[in-house]
Amino acid sequence: MLGMTAITPRAPNCSPDSFRLQSVTPKGKERDEREYVINRHASTGGIQRFKAGHHGAEHKLGAMIAYVQQEKRTFWNTRVAEWIKELVELDQPGWTVEDQLHLEHDDDTLQLAVFSSSHTRKNGLPGIELRHLWVEMN
């Protein structure tokens, strides 16, 4: 599950977003456990917002920060990969295998992982590369 909090871009060429990764989705009719990737009720999923141009429309590089509050980084890496794979298999418009996250760095001492992902976008927007920083807080 992902609780979302958008944050204002600090760097001129980067658009960031932050999330909480926890096993139980907070209650609410507009919530979706897959919110880091997509929200079936609205266009408020994390990666979904960048793909749609709701965040970082004028940027080619974006960032997402996840605070891992339950489970471990490896659990969420598997979970997010499954969600994206499911979107591709269900022929969800705009989702392809290229949307998967790729592990760049994992540090058990610091309890953090860095991923990258590349995404195509609609409406004439250029593709966007996302950097994902996952920090364990549990």
Side-chain angles (χ1 to χ4, degrees):
M1 154 32 219
L2 317 159
M4 296 183 216
T5 305
I7 55 178
T8 304
R10 303 240 190 275
N13 297 322
C14 185
S15 181
D17 210 354
S18 66
F19 297 85
R20 291 184 316 259
L21 290 171
Q22 55 193 39
S23 299
V24 179
T25 304
K27 299 202 182 312
K29 64 181 180 178
E30 299 298 314
R31 302 306 297 261
D32 185 333
E33 72 172 343
R34 305 168 302 164
E35 287 178 354
Y36 190 84
V37 176
I38 191 169
N39 185 335
R40 69 178 169 265
H41 305 293
S43 61
T44 57
I47 296 172
Q48 176 185 24
R49 288 187 279 179
F50 283 101
K51 286 178 66 73
H54 299 309
H55 282 321
E58 63 280 352
H59 300 290
K60 293 181 182 179
L61 177 64
M64 294 175 63
I65 302 169
Y67 302 98
V68 179
Q69 295 181 317
Q70 294 177 344
E71 309 298 340
K72 296 289 183 186
R73 299 178 312 277
T74 53
F75 170 87
W76 289 108
N77 185 19
T78 300
R79 196 71 169 278
V80 168
E82 289 170 352
W83 292 334
I84 293 172
K85 181 181 176 190
E86 180 180 276
L87 292 169
V88 172
E89 290 174 351
L90 294 173
D91 289 325
Q92 185 74 25
W95 291 88
T96 69
V97 295
E98 285 77 29
D99 291 305
Q100 289 288 0
L101 279 59
H102 303 282
L103 182 64
E104 301 291 332
H105 181 75
D106 192 22
D107 190 316
D108 280 333
T109 303
L110 296 175
Q111 295 186 326
L112 63 84
V114 178
F115 299 86
S116 65
S117 60
S118 296
H119 309 278
T120 58
R121 300 192 283 182
K122 298 179 182 178
N123 303 323
L125 293 174
I128 189 164
E129 179 183 342
L130 296 178
R131 306 278 170 77
H132 307 260
L133 174 64
W134 292 4
V135 181
E136 283 188 24
M137 305 296 287
N138 53 359

